[in-house]
Amino acid sequence: MNKENIIQKLPYTKPFLFVDEIIEIDDIHIKGAYTFLQDEYFYKGHFKDNPITPGVILTECMAQIGMACFGIYLLKGEWNQAKNGIAITSSDMNFYKPVYPTEKVVVIAEKEYFRFNKLKCKVAMYNSEDILVAKGIVSGMTFIKNDE
């Protein structure tokens, strides 16, 4: 499975897709990037006259790259968007620097375990100056969608 194919398989679209590219990926880690655009919907109210990317959005970006993209890759072709769903089951994050509109971030995730379709990873986000923005742990799983 190639890097672009993984992004196409994600169950997200704009304005809630926070993955531009997968830089590298193997069975142990993933590295991906996203650039926060000036006109992202959440900047209108967070904060007035001083837009900063909300921590929950940074967490979502890390989960989309470090858990969803990585999980699709680790399933080795067993992922079917029509039949499977992705759910984040937990996160534990620490934030160190703000992320502003137009900033590009790089997310690196390292697998702690992947079993029974559940993935747990250490994740870290860096800004364009290679300064740590946030780090933590994300866990999630794939599930079979209910047809009802």
Side-chain angles (χ1 to χ4, degrees):
M1 179 175 300
N2 67 38
K3 297 172 189 174
E4 293 77 23
N5 194 330
I6 293 169
I7 295 171
Q8 292 172 354
K9 289 182 177 282
L10 287 171
Y12 313 106
T13 60
K14 286 291 185 187
F16 211 75
L17 175 64
F18 302 112
V19 183
D20 288 333
E21 66 177 318
I22 296 172
I23 300 164
E24 55 189 54
I25 191 167
D26 59 31
D27 287 348
I28 299 170
H29 84 291
I30 185 170
K31 182 177 183 179
Y34 182 73
T35 300
F36 287 95
L37 304 176
Q38 182 74 38
D39 62 350
E40 302 273 11
Y41 71 94
F42 43 80
Y43 288 136
K44 292 177 183 155
H46 195 271
F47 290 97
K48 184 179 177 180
D49 301 324
N50 185 27
I52 297 173
T53 310
V56 68
I57 298 294
L58 298 178
T59 301
E60 180 66 25
C61 178
M62 289 187 279
Q64 285 185 16
I65 294 170
M67 201 262 311
C69 289
F70 200 15
I72 289 169
Y73 173 82
L74 291 171
L75 285 168
K76 305 291 186 196
E78 294 178 28
W79 172 259
N80 180 329
Q81 189 170 340
K83 294 181 181 179
N84 298 109
I86 297 173
I88 188 169
T89 57
S90 67
S91 67
D92 182 12
M93 291 293 153
N94 291 302
F95 301 96
Y96 305 103
K97 297 278 185 192
V99 174
Y100 299 102
T102 73
E103 277 197 86
K104 180 178 182 176
V105 295
V106 172
V107 174
I108 300 170
E110 295 179 0
K111 177 176 71 176
E112 292 217 326
Y113 66 78
F114 180 63
R115 59 182 173 266
F116 306 114
N117 291 345
K118 184 166 183 175
L119 175 62
K120 182 177 182 181
C121 293
K122 292 180 185 176
V123 292
M125 177 182 280
Y126 298 87
N127 64 19
S128 59
E129 297 172 1
D130 203 28
I131 296 172
L132 182 65
V133 169
K135 71 176 181 178
I137 296 174
V138 292
S139 297
M141 62 186 300
T142 63
F143 59 90
I144 304 297
K145 292 179 182 176
N146 189 348
D147 291 338
E148 295 179 279

